[in-house]
Amino acid sequence: MNTIRPVSDLRNNFAEISKTVHETDQPVFLTKNGFGNMVVMSMAAYENLHFESEIYVKLQEAEREARETSRRFSSKDVLAAMRNAIEDV
């Protein structure tokens, strides 16, 4: 369930909000005059969200490429390319 608090709580209850976002790994939604204004989350939750977004974008690119080309790779080809990339590092 979403935690929704007035934006004034950020100033008045910062420690409590910080504890909530770190313990739950969930964002706290802040409102101003009854309307959504901002979201506060822990750095770990933000980094995880950012990482998932990057993966999603790469998957979208791969799906678009798969639709636009007929080139396909076998699992053996992929594993060989991965091994070569690791050896080159």
Side-chain angles (χ1 to χ4, degrees):
M1 183 158 89
N2 292 337
T3 302
I4 302 171
R5 300 179 68 152
V7 74
S8 59
D9 278 2
L10 189 58
R11 176 176 22 97
N12 299 330
N13 300 305
F14 178 83
E16 183 182 332
I17 291 174
S18 178
K19 181 179 177 183
T20 299
V21 298
H22 285 94
E23 287 180 352
T24 65
D25 247 357
Q26 296 295 314
V28 172
F29 297 86
L30 301 175
T31 62
K32 183 175 182 180
N33 299 323
F35 295 96
N37 185 265
M38 66 179 73
V39 177
V40 177
M41 62 177 54
S42 69
M43 288 295 295
Y46 174 78
E47 289 170 354
N48 188 42
L49 180 65
H50 185 67
F51 177 72
E52 289 174 0
S53 295
E54 287 179 356
I55 290 173
Y56 182 72
V57 167
K58 290 179 191 254
L59 286 172
Q60 284 182 317
E61 291 172 5
E63 288 175 350
R64 185 180 64 248
E65 185 176 334
R67 283 192 307 270
E68 295 174 357
T69 67
S70 60
R71 187 173 181 198
R72 301 293 183 260
F73 299 94
S74 71
S75 58
K76 289 180 183 180
D77 293 337
V78 172
L79 287 173
M82 289 172 55
R83 284 188 183 107
N84 288 337
I86 291 171
E87 289 172 1
D88 290 344
V89 174

